[in-house]
Amino acid sequence: MEHFDVAVVGLGVLGSAAAYHAARMGKKVIAFEQFELGHVHGASHDTSRIVRTANWEPEYVALARSAYRDWAELEKDTGQKLLTITGGLVFLPRNAPTPCGNLIKTLDAENVPYKLLNSQEVKRRWPQFNIPDTVDAVYTSDTGIVHASKSVAAMQYLARANGAVLKEYTPVDRVTPKASGAGITIQTTKGNFHAAKVILATDAWTNKLLAPLKVHIPLSVMQEQVTYFKPGNTSAFEPGCFPVWIWGGDPAFYGFPSYGEPTIKAGRDTSNNVMAPEQRTYVQSPQLLEQLSSFMKNFIPDKERHPLRTVTCQYSITPGRQLIISPLENNRDIVVGLGAAHAFKFAPAFGRALAELAINGRTKEDISKFGIPKADKSNSKL
């Protein structure tokens, strides 16, 4: 078997970022994807994802700041514009428990610039919104959009440009540490491979590979969806005059300005449409679309707006939606990365941290709270 320094399993955004960084660090890298590159079976496809430093816990703010620097480096390396800064609003209903309840406290503690706006201030600046007087909004100017599929492709291109071998249509059946401690055998449908270190960025399929290692991570896997709407006045929703937004209520919703086409995109966060990957229908839920449309009718009134298409994706939620960036306790040569359906914004820094852990056994990022979870927590964080 040919020997590699690092093997990456899973080439969604996190695995692609890890392969890119590991190869960029001069290591001999091989990476495996069970489907085609750029597939639609996980959570890294389609167009837009939100980028922001505005987060509810300090460790997420720190990782987001690192990610902005890594996004800039990725853009420089590829010569592509991947981020579009639009500014962003997080709407906070007063006197109601919300996923973003301690947002302002964290922004103050971490010196993140923001403006706290009441409903009238929001309406003066963005008359497209209709929010009650009992709702405030936090505005951050550095919030924006990253192009999802272009970013994944860019990372894969750079991984290959730096010598990585990327194998699509190659499911991994098992990763087996050698009894001697000298590396790991990766068993695939197309033969066996050997690597000193393995990074698992396998999302909903993670526990399949962890089970033989006697490790289990509590995961809730569900099919989610976003809908693209055609607004009556498309010019009112251009990125220069309409922000990314998050409704920090329960349920939580989020949305985007026009991005590459005359539509606006919106969705509900964690609708708990639970199903295993093998059970996914890829068929939209009419009930979820009706719920979203009803919310949008009041929140962003537009009698001429109508839905154009709905796209499904897969969420894999960890306890408390905690990120996982960690080696296994019983085998530190195997590093696990799980994004809990909110990691795209962190992706280049997340992948770099995985690569640094695999190669150096440590990372400069603070991952002290991103270990393997031991107990269930609330899944309410956006």
Side-chain angles (χ1 to χ4, degrees):
M1 290 184 290
E2 187 176 1
H3 177 82
F4 293 86
D5 298 316
V6 178
V8 178
V9 185
L11 283 169
V13 68
L14 300 183
S16 297
Y20 152 57
H21 280 291
R24 198 169 183 245
M25 293 174 193
K27 298 303 177 180
K28 188 176 181 181
V29 176
I30 189 167
F32 306 96
E33 171 53 56
Q34 63 178 321
F35 305 112
E36 74 276 13
L37 298 182
H39 65 81
V40 300
H41 306 296
S44 297
H45 58 288
D46 202 34
T47 55
S48 49
R49 298 293 188 279
I50 297 174
V51 290
R52 55 189 167 101
T53 52
N55 277 275
W56 61 94
E57 291 178 359
E59 58 269 23
Y60 292 113
V61 174
L63 190 61
R65 282 174 165 154
S66 292
Y68 270 80
R69 292 190 288 270
D70 286 328
W71 282 120
E73 193 70 23
L74 182 63
E75 288 183 321
K76 179 182 176 183
D77 285 353
T78 60
Q80 294 187 37
K81 179 178 172 60
L82 300 173
L83 268 61
T84 300
I85 302 303
T86 62
L89 291 167
V90 179
F91 293 95
L92 302 174
R94 295 179 201 159
N95 303 318
T98 74
C100 306
N102 63 338
L103 175 64
I104 294 173
K105 180 181 177 181
T106 299
L107 298 184
D108 285 336
E110 297 301 309
N111 296 312
V112 176
Y114 71 92
K115 293 181 180 178
L116 181 61
L117 308 174
N118 62 34
S119 61
Q120 295 306 311
E121 290 170 319
V122 170
K123 290 175 185 177
R124 277 196 295 270
R125 184 164 178 181
W126 299 281
Q128 301 93 327
F129 291 110
N130 176 43
I131 59 173
D133 293 338
T134 56
V135 174
D136 296 314
V138 173
Y139 175 76
T140 47
S141 60
D142 67 346
T143 296
I145 303 168
V146 61
H147 197 293
S149 58
K150 285 183 180 179
S151 298
V152 175
M155 293 173 184
Q156 293 169 353
Y157 170 82
L158 287 175
R160 281 175 161 159
N162 283 278
V165 177
L166 307 188
K167 290 185 171 290
E168 59 183 341
Y169 297 111
T170 308
V172 171
D173 295 324
R174 192 177 181 121
V175 292
T176 306
K178 290 195 172 181
S180 63
I184 300 166
T185 299
I186 302 98
Q187 298 170 254
T188 82
T189 57
K190 297 183 178 179
N192 295 343
F193 301 82
H194 183 269
K197 305 292 175 70
V198 171
I199 296 170
L200 299 181
T202 41
D203 198 58
W205 298 271
T206 298
N207 282 321
K208 173 188 172 185
L209 295 177
L210 291 181
L213 304 172
K214 295 180 169 49
V215 177
H216 177 81
I217 298 174
L219 284 178
S220 298
V221 180
M222 56 196 75
Q223 179 174 284
E224 300 294 338
Q225 63 189 52
V226 295
T227 296
Y228 290 80
F229 296 89
K230 178 68 178 297
N233 177 12
T234 57
S235 63
F237 296 95
E238 291 296 324
C241 57
F242 190 72
V244 167
W245 59 268
I246 294 171
W247 175 256
D250 185 13
F253 297 90
Y254 61 94
F256 299 78
S258 296
Y259 183 65
E261 62 178 0
T263 64
I264 57 173
K265 170 184 166 184
R268 175 182 166 175
D269 186 62
T270 54
S271 64
N272 296 311
N273 188 17
V274 177
M275 61 183 69
E278 298 78 16
Q279 299 170 324
R280 274 192 68 190
T281 63
Y282 301 87
V283 177
Q284 71 175 57
S285 162
Q287 292 80 14
L288 289 178
L289 176 56
E290 174 57 32
Q291 182 190 61
L292 175 63
S293 298
S294 178
F295 172 80
M296 294 283 286
K297 180 180 179 180
N298 296 317
F299 185 61
I300 307 174
D302 182 353
K303 292 182 179 179
E304 298 179 46
R305 181 176 58 235
H306 59 275
L308 287 182
R309 68 182 185 277
T310 296
V311 178
T312 67
C313 67
Q314 182 168 266
Y315 274 24
S316 298
I317 305 296
T318 60
R321 294 193 75 171
Q322 170 195 310
L323 301 182
I324 296 177
I325 307 174
S326 177
L328 297 181
E329 289 185 7
N330 61 354
N331 194 315
R332 301 190 70 82
D333 290 339
I334 299 175
V335 180
V336 177
L338 277 165
H342 68 113
F344 209 107
K345 66 182 76 67
F346 308 117
F350 195 124
R352 177 173 47 75
L354 292 172
E356 289 169 348
L357 283 174
I359 294 166
N360 303 318
R362 62 187 182 279
T363 173
K364 65 181 182 181
E365 302 301 328
D366 179 5
I367 58 170
S368 58
K369 294 188 177 181
F370 300 152
I372 306 293
K374 298 181 183 301
D376 285 345
K377 304 175 185 177
S378 168
N379 288 340
S380 63
K381 293 175 181 175
L382 182 68

